[in-house]
DNA sequence: ATTATCTATAGATCTATAGATAATGC
DNA sequence: ATTATCTATAGATCTATAGATAATGC
């Protein structure tokens, strides 16, 4: 029943990937190791040869989820060199993102859960959040008389909050309006944007 | 062992109050009925005469938590009639709020959890969120050329997101800076504010 | 010989229910 | 007579560990 080292490494990655998705869908406490391991094609018994504890997996899956999100931001930016921030904001504040909890922003899906965890998990989030800020900070350019990190923090806050709110309500129109209102308020933030006037 | 009707009603309220705090501290899945009932001074067996299920309590405790938050906003506004929005924002975007998860904003502590729940829980959140919006909408007055509900949505998004981010990181300075950056970006929003120039 | 995975299980905890008890409310 | 609460428990699930197995890697 033993597998090769590289197969074991692949299995390990599969567990982290499954966890990064399932934690976002159900919360850290919303899914057990048995279901997580089965989602990765293994049985529960194999878990502790790969991870020290569930908390260990929580930290690693958080890190993975943040990395994935940042990669998606980078890909979106590269595809839209004239207005990277506008493109990322449009992707982020979309109903598609609202519906896709398992593959969406980990700060929205797990930020409150992370606040209840130990410093290891928060370190994963802090790293990812700093990278978010660095990217936005680049994209907002040099706002006049403003610190670009402060500006980036305000922009990210609006994005995260709008998605949390959008997901917490039943009414689809209200959900959508939160995303649109946030997008509108962020319109001035990307210098590359062809100023489109009011969205309406 | 039976108690009077009014005592039973009080007990019921005590359970909802304890749950509204403990759910915010630990998440809906982070605390069991035994601990919840003990926090209210009862034993687990009494639970199902008062509530249909844990989900039922989750919905009612969410409603209670939102009501409490809105009451606090109203009290803050009354104490600061010249700039109610500025006062609420200052209270909300404070490190004290960051540290006080159990008594803080339920949207921050449980919004992501609510997104994973059924429509009853989301209805509690939607009601509370609409009340938040009504209050902010009044306080922002009539922003020029802008819809006041859209404006309120953007303001609330920034507040909620900043607190989620502030709580998800280890570094206190970073936490604080998120709150300050969000407050700064919202400075123009309250018409009653004595324009204080840059905070710096 | 080592070890990644499997099956099986320990011990704790979770939600929910059953039956006993004793005070309320008619 | 009704019923709010209590103790006790059923049955499921949770994290973590133990021991067997069979393929790897020296």
């Amino acid at each position: 029943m033993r597998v090769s080292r590289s197969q074991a490494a692949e299995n390990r990655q599969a567990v982290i990937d499954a966890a990064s998705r399932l934690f976002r869908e159900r919360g850290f406490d919303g899914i057990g190791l048995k279901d997580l391991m089965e989602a990765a094609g293994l049985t529960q018994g194999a878990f502790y040869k790969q991870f020290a504890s569930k908390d260990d997996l929580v930290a690693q899956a958080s890190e993975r989820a943040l990395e994935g999100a940042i990669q998606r931001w980078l890909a979106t930016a590269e595809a839209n060199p004239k207005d990277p921030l506008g493109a990322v904001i449009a992707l982020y504040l979309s109903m598609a993102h609202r519906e896709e909890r398992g593959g969406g922003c980990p700060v929205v899906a797990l930020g409150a859960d992370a606040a209840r965890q130990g410093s290891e998990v928060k370190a994963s989030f802090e790293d990812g959040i700093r990278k978010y800020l660095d990217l936005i900070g680049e994209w907002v350019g040099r706002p006049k008389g403003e610190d670009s990190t402060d500006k980036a923090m305000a922009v990210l806050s609006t994005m995260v909050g709008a998605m949390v709110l959008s997901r917490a309500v039943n009414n689809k129109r209200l959900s959508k309006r939160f995303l649109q209102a946030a997008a509108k308020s962020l319109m001035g933030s990307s210098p590359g944007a062809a100023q489109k006037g009011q969205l309406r």
Side-chain angles (χ1 to χ4, degrees), chain A residues 7-23:
Chain A
Q7 180 61 52
E10 268 180 51
N11 288 347
R12 178 189 175 78
Q13 297 308 317
V15 174
I16 297 173
D17 282 337
S20 103
R21 169 166 292 275
L22 288 166
F23 283 149

Side-chain angles (χ1 to χ4, degrees), chain A residues 15-33 36 47 53-62 65 101-102 106 109-110 113:
Chain A
V15 174
I16 297 173
D17 282 337
S20 103
R21 169 166 292 275
L22 288 166
F23 283 149
R24 275 178 281 184
E25 282 176 7
R26 310 197 201 169
F28 293 139
D29 290 338
I31 185 158
L33 297 180
L36 280 170
F47 182 83
S53 64
K54 188 180 180 184
D55 277 350
D56 180 21
L57 177 63
V58 163
Q60 293 194 48
S62 296
R101 287 204 297 266
L110 294 170
D113 280 44

Side-chain angles (χ1 to χ4, degrees), chain A residues 6-199:
Chain A
S6 68
Q7 180 61 52
E10 268 180 51
N11 288 347
R12 178 189 175 78
Q13 297 308 317
V15 174
I16 297 173
D17 282 337
S20 103
R21 169 166 292 275
L22 288 166
F23 283 149
R24 275 178 281 184
E25 282 176 7
R26 310 197 201 169
F28 293 139
D29 290 338
I31 185 158
L33 297 180
K34 182 165 174 285
D35 289 342
L36 280 170
M37 291 300 278
E38 265 164 26
L42 299 166
T43 64
Q44 192 183 347
F47 182 83
Y48 287 92
K49 272 276 154 62
Q50 299 275 20
F51 303 96
S53 64
K54 188 180 180 184
D55 277 350
D56 180 21
L57 177 63
V58 163
Q60 293 194 48
S62 296
E63 195 181 336
R64 170 70 48 90
L66 266 309
E67 276 167 10
I70 286 153
Q71 286 309 312
R72 225 164 309 123
W73 279 31
L74 284 171
T76 304
E78 269 175 38
N80 298 274
K82 284 189 189 166
D83 183 16
L85 183 57
V88 165
I89 288 174
L91 184 78
Y92 196 101
L93 295 174
S94 67
M95 286 299 276
H97 183 195
R98 190 203 105 116
E99 308 301 341
E100 192 194 49
R101 287 204 297 266
C105 176
V107 178
V108 173
L110 294 170
D113 280 44
R116 300 171 197 130
Q117 301 290 319
S119 61
E120 236 179 318
V121 177
K122 285 187 188 171
S124 297
F125 274 81
E126 186 170 321
D127 278 4
I129 287 166
R130 285 189 194 275
K131 279 172 196 151
Y132 272 156
L133 290 176
D134 286 347
L135 290 178
I136 301 176
E138 278 177 40
W139 296 332
V140 294
R142 269 240 148 273
K144 44 192 180 303
E146 249 183 305
D147 185 283
S148 73
T149 300
D150 282 359
K151 178 71 184 168
M153 286 178 159
V155 169
L156 183 59
S157 294
T158 305
M159 292 167 69
V160 167
M163 187 53 68
V164 169
L165 286 156
S166 181
R167 284 186 183 162
V169 300
N170 283 314
N171 186 285
K172 279 262 167 93
R173 293 192 55 198
L174 184 61
S175 274
K176 199 168 189 176
R177 200 171 170 191
F178 264 114
L179 305 183
Q180 290 174 331
K184 195 168 97 179
S185 86
L186 295 178
M187 256 185 27
S189 304
S190 51
Q195 297 298 352
K196 307 174 205 161
Q198 305 291 10
L199 269 176

